[in-house]
Amino acid sequence: MFASILLLLQLILALPVQTYSQTNSSQATVLCIPGQCLQGYSNITIGATLSASGAASPLHLLPGQYTSTTNPQALHDLLTSSSATLSPSPGFSNSTSITLPLNLALQPGFAQFSDSLYAGQSAFTALPTSINATTSTTTITAKSLFISTDTILTLNSSSGRLIIWDSIPDISQLPSSSSSLSLFSIESTSCSPTCSSSGLCTAAGTCLCPPNFSGNSCESCASGFFGSTCQACPSDCDSCDDGINGSGRCLKPKISGDPSTCNCLNGQCGSDGTCSCNAGFVKADNGTQCAKCSQGFFLTSTGDCQVCQLGCSQCTDGTGVCTVCSQGFTQNTSDKTKCVPPTSSTTSGQVCPDGSFANGASCSTCADACSTCTGGTSNDCIVCKQGTFLFNGVCVSADGNGVCQGTGGLVADNNKKECDTCGAKCTACQIPNFNVGSTIDQLQCTACLPGSFLSNGTCVASCPTGTFVSPKDNSTCQACDSSCSTCTGSSSFCLTCPSPSLSTPTGTCVSTCPSGTFSSSGTCLPCHPDCATCSGPSFNQCSACPADRPVLSSGRCVSSCGKAQFNSNGGCQNCDASCATCSGSGANNCLSCPNDQVLNGGTCLTSSCTHNTTLVPGLGVCLSDLINIPAPAQTSASPLPSVTGIDTPTTAPPATTKKTLKWWQILLMALGCAFIFIAFIWCCRRRTRKRRAQKTQMFSQGEIMPRRREVGWKWWLQNLFTRKKVTVTVLPHHYDAHEYQRSVQGGDLKMNHLGSPEERRREVEDENEADLVELIGSYRYPTPKASQTHFPHNPPPSPPPRNQYLDVPEATSRTNLLEVPSTRPTRPNRPARPLSLLSAPSIYSQMTGMPRKIPEPRQPVRARESDTSRFSLSTLSSEDRVVVAPNAQGKGKQKKNLFW
């Protein structure tokens, strides 16, 4: 009664019943978690010990994430010390060096400690990494358990199976019914979906399958394997009832000499890989062995090669119509499959009867084996006597089963009087009780090629319904028992049963499917090994679960429910709201608690942490409960060492971290680059337009800018220190054909430097344009008089000076006018011609010596000479340009070109 009252008071005051204390073997230590350190006495062993040369005391680190900015200062100094070393406990990283950030975490598995609160001796059990590494059922004697992330333990207890998801600081605080614990299994929870019972979930989140298993969850067998353990099919079977639901019974036995193994169609493969064809077959044109009928045989609609009629050496496939008759034979007009033998006549014209042949002037008797013949030997038979049959030109006898003697298995045909083949798949045949009246339709196969099965005297690809392949020879079809519709292996092992019975995996016929099977098309098929009962063959079609996977969840049988659930008769129920995990319903069956509560006898109570501490994440206990901190006035046999910086926040500058640009920063940078690029293009285009406009204005004024290749660096240097630019003006003159002809005849030519192809191209363009301008200028002349006409006997008057066409004073023609001299030489004894006239007289005047009777053709003259020509000045060659310097007044006014 008093205990009940005490428990009620504790619940009301929210005080934990459990008061943790350390044993007398506790040692002075500094216990740290990220952000806080406490100095006191403890014998805790979980985590790692951090030490450095010159440090006042080592620090014991509990699991967590440590960085260079982790508080307090003492922890920071040791973490960033160049001589810092780490001594981890079992299950933690074996590395003694420190690399920040330091993630101190348990490897996949669990650690158990001999004392509560993760103290005392410790041992680590790793998560299995191979199928063979099975976890044996061992008794748990530890008093506390620490479990890694994404790992669960399955423990057997006196009250049933416990699923442990979180660490247990004190096993004695589990529900009272949880005693006599033993480890059943340890597995990872990283796999989604969970692995089947055959698979092993690894820490990487993948299912590790045993040999011969397949599927992402190891839920099926590879081809050629069957059963829950995926064992191999029988060695003497090419295929069996495989799969994880399969029975393993042989469906197709191995065949010795199977034709398919040596590219053989109607023959048998030898041990050396060669193919022996049945009678009448040869190699086909496509390379397939025994796929074509030899000469003298034709292919029937059933795929057999039969011999052609007597006297026919070649006939058509399908119909047997003879296309080539033997020598002396002619085709039968009424039956084109046959050939008519030649008549045997003596020299006197006498026709010899059957059984004889013409021998000169008389008829001689045929050989005993021949009914009709062409000669006296047995090889000259046309038709054999009754009871014998023609084979390769020789008459042979047949036995009581109609088999021709010495033919390798050919059968006698009374209709054709020949030995014919048995069939494409038959290696031996007979006609039972063979006599004169027997027909070829009575033929029965007695042996078949490998891969074919003998059924009722015929060779078939598979045994018909109601029969099975005899295991004695694997080539004969035998009838099933009357209780079976179909069977295999034996006449009583039923594959299907007469309706409404159902066949079972054991080969019996039942009215309802037994447990562990499901009905499908009149057959009871086994469930997946994960299921106790099912509605289909898959591992997610379970309707009830076995004991080792008791939880049914979404059609799957799994070992446990979710973290906040418990198993209740194969279904999952939610835990009480006060529990993080539980073993049953109610608030007193908790196995672990939320972050702000601690476990006490299966109940979660509010934690009562001291010294400004909180619950350590993942440990389920307060930091102050893991260490005994003496009171200031308390004396101790082993005084605590003086450690500075335990309560001081770290002053280390924050570690520089590489910032990642956000999407909008990247977008702004891209837009800025695009704007700069567009602005650059705009400026270039604007500069180009301005230069084009400047050139257009100069063109309209008859000016051009000098080119770099024409003026060079001296011109640019002159313009750099001169306020006014020297303008180049081009004054074209006419083209004189006579002067050009004289220059060509005189041979006064100069070889100019060609320069680069680009320069040469520009020079050619300039010369062409100059010629055009000169041609236009040559048409601008005053109306000539008759006396000025060019005739061979009437020399023209002397032309005016060249300067008269330039509107420049004569006095300044030498000093102020720079004229580019012409390279055209003057032909001696030739009177000069005015530049304003045409360059040559007409052809009529030159040939007859008479003046033209019509006026010379003229170019229309513009109304105003000041109009600008539509031709650019830049089109003139360099030798036709004249530079006009400024006038005497210094105004730099240029004279107008007479031609523009």
Side-chain angles (χ1 to χ4, degrees), residues 367 369-375 377-384 390 393-395:
C370 300
S371 176
T372 61
C373 62
T374 59
T377 66
S378 60
N379 294 329
D380 297 326
C381 296
I382 297 176
V383 179
C384 297
L390 189 65
V394 179
C395 293

Side-chain angles (χ1 to χ4, degrees), residues 418-695:
E418 295 179 285
C419 294
D420 209 344
T421 58
C422 292
K425 303 300 181 183
C426 287
T427 57
C429 61
Q430 65 178 1
I431 299 178
N433 302 320
F434 180 76
N435 53 50
V436 178
S438 299
T439 62
I440 197 66
D441 297 334
Q442 298 173 346
L443 183 145
Q444 294 182 358
C445 289
T446 57
C448 300
L449 287 175
S452 297
F453 304 97
L454 183 61
S455 174
N456 295 327
T458 58
C459 293
V460 294
S462 60
C463 289
T465 302
T467 62
F468 69 100
V469 179
S470 173
K472 295 180 181 180
D473 56 10
N474 290 330
S475 62
T476 304
C477 297
Q478 293 184 358
C480 294
D481 191 78
S482 59
S483 61
C484 303
S485 296
T486 59
C487 60
T488 184
S490 68
S491 60
S492 59
F493 191 96
C494 299
L495 289 178
T496 59
C497 300
S499 181
S501 298
L502 302 172
S503 63
T504 64
T506 59
T508 59
C509 293
V510 296
S511 57
T512 57
C513 288
S515 178
T517 64
F518 67 97
S519 177
S520 176
S521 301
T523 303
C524 296
L525 300 178
C527 294
H528 192 278
D530 284 4
C531 307
T533 60
C534 62
S535 59
S538 178
F539 74 135
N540 58 2
Q541 293 178 303
C542 301
S543 54
C545 299
D548 59 338
R549 301 177 73 84
V551 179
L552 181 63
S553 175
S554 300
R556 289 282 311 272
C557 286
V558 294
S559 58
S560 62
C561 296
K563 185 172 183 179
Q565 296 177 323
F566 66 95
N567 178 24
S568 176
N569 297 324
C572 293
Q573 302 292 332
N574 292 330
C575 294
D576 188 80
S578 62
C579 303
T581 62
C582 62
S583 60
S585 60
N588 57 348
N589 283 315
C590 297
L591 298 177
S592 62
C593 300
N595 293 332
D596 58 344
Q597 294 180 327
V598 293
L599 184 66
N600 189 336
T603 304
C604 291
L605 302 178
T606 303
S607 61
S608 179
C609 300
T610 60
H611 297 87
N612 295 324
T613 62
T614 58
L615 288 174
V616 181
L619 298 185
V621 65
C622 295
L623 177 63
S624 59
D625 293 334
L626 298 175
I627 187 169
N628 185 11
I629 304 175
Q634 182 179 355
T635 59
S636 174
S638 56
L640 297 174
S642 176
V643 181
T644 60
I646 294 179
D647 300 325
T648 306
T650 180
T651 57
T656 58
T657 57
K658 185 177 180 180
K659 294 184 178 180
T660 304
L661 295 178
K662 298 182 179 299
W663 67 268
W664 57 269
Q665 294 174 326
I666 298 175
L667 180 61
L668 287 179
M669 293 175 63
L671 292 177
C673 293
F675 175 78
I676 294 174
F677 177 75
I678 294 174
F680 175 76
I681 297 298
W682 180 81
C683 291
C684 292
R685 290 178 61 84
R686 184 172 180 270
R687 180 172 178 269
T688 303
R689 288 196 297 267
K690 291 179 65 176
R691 291 173 63 91
R692 187 185 299 115
Q694 181 182 5
K695 290 181 180 180

Side-chain angles (χ1 to χ4, degrees), residues 205-543:
T206 58
C207 292
L208 182 63
C209 300
N212 308 326
F213 280 80
S214 63
N216 293 333
S217 300
C218 309
E219 74 277 8
S220 58
C221 292
S223 179
F225 299 88
F226 72 96
S228 59
T229 58
C230 289
Q231 58 185 339
C233 290
S235 59
D236 58 347
C237 286
D238 274 345
S239 64
C240 71
D241 182 20
D242 58 3
I244 202 163
N245 308 96
S247 61
R249 61 180 176 269
C250 188
L251 300 178
K252 182 180 180 182
K254 282 188 176 180
I255 301 171
S256 177
D258 188 356
S260 61
T261 60
C262 62
N263 192 29
C264 188
L265 184 61
N266 298 301
Q268 185 172 354
C269 293
S271 58
D272 58 351
T274 59
C275 180
S276 300
C277 297
N278 270 357
F281 285 94
V282 292
K283 182 179 180 180
D285 297 336
N286 60 3
T288 304
Q289 298 287 342
C290 310
K292 176 183 177 183
C293 292
S294 60
Q295 188 173 0
F297 295 82
F298 70 98
L299 187 67
T300 66
S301 58
T302 57
D304 301 329
C305 281
Q306 292 184 358
V307 68
C308 297
Q309 293 282 354
L310 278 175
C312 181
S313 59
Q314 189 173 347
C315 51
T316 306
D317 288 343
T319 61
V321 173
C322 188
T323 56
V324 178
C325 291
S326 301
Q327 185 177 2
F329 286 76
T330 57
Q331 191 173 31
N332 192 326
T333 57
S334 59
D335 188 356
K336 294 186 179 300
T337 62
K338 299 178 181 181
C339 291
V340 179
T343 59
S344 181
S345 301
T346 63
T347 56
S348 61
Q350 179 185 357
V351 177
C352 296
D354 292 343
S356 63
F357 66 96
N359 186 10
S362 62
C363 294
S364 300
T365 305
C366 296
D368 294 339
C370 300
S371 176
T372 61
C373 62
T374 59
T377 66
S378 60
N379 294 329
D380 297 326
C381 296
I382 297 176
V383 179
C384 297
K385 282 187 176 182
Q386 187 174 352
T388 59
F389 303 88
L390 189 65
F391 173 71
N392 292 336
V394 179
C395 293
V396 296
S397 61
D399 62 10
N401 291 320
V403 178
C404 294
Q405 302 297 316
T407 60
L410 296 184
V411 67
D413 188 342
N414 286 323
N415 184 28
K416 293 181 180 179
K417 304 296 183 180
E418 295 179 285
C419 294
D420 209 344
T421 58
C422 292
K425 303 300 181 183
C426 287
T427 57
C429 61
Q430 65 178 1
I431 299 178
N433 302 320
F434 180 76
N435 53 50
V436 178
S438 299
T439 62
I440 197 66
D441 297 334
Q442 298 173 346
L443 183 145
Q444 294 182 358
C445 289
T446 57
C448 300
L449 287 175
S452 297
F453 304 97
L454 183 61
S455 174
N456 295 327
T458 58
C459 293
V460 294
S462 60
C463 289
T465 302
T467 62
F468 69 100
V469 179
S470 173
K472 295 180 181 180
D473 56 10
N474 290 330
S475 62
T476 304
C477 297
Q478 293 184 358
C480 294
D481 191 78
S482 59
S483 61
C484 303
S485 296
T486 59
C487 60
T488 184
S490 68
S491 60
S492 59
F493 191 96
C494 299
L495 289 178
T496 59
C497 300
S499 181
S501 298
L502 302 172
S503 63
T504 64
T506 59
T508 59
C509 293
V510 296
S511 57
T512 57
C513 288
S515 178
T517 64
F518 67 97
S519 177
S520 176
S521 301
T523 303
C524 296
L525 300 178
C527 294
H528 192 278
D530 284 4
C531 307
T533 60
C534 62
S535 59
S538 178
F539 74 135
N540 58 2
Q541 293 178 303
C542 301
S543 54

Side-chain angles (χ1 to χ4, degrees), residues 824-889:
R824 302 183 182 95
T826 304
R827 187 174 180 178
N829 302 325
R830 187 74 173 179
R833 294 172 176 81
L835 299 178
S836 60
L837 299 180
L838 289 172
S839 58
S842 65
I843 297 177
Y844 174 82
S845 300
Q846 295 182 27
M847 298 299 295
T848 60
M850 300 297 293
R852 292 174 59 91
K853 298 180 180 181
I854 59 175
E856 294 285 351
R858 292 170 174 78
Q859 177 74 14
V861 180
R862 297 189 178 188
R864 294 182 300 171
E865 293 185 356
S866 61
D867 291 344
T868 304
S869 172
R870 62 188 179 92
F871 295 96
S872 172
L873 296 178
S874 62
T875 60
L876 299 180
S877 61
S878 59
E879 65 182 9
D880 295 329
R881 297 175 183 174
V882 177
V883 179
V884 180
N887 57 16
Q889 287 77 11

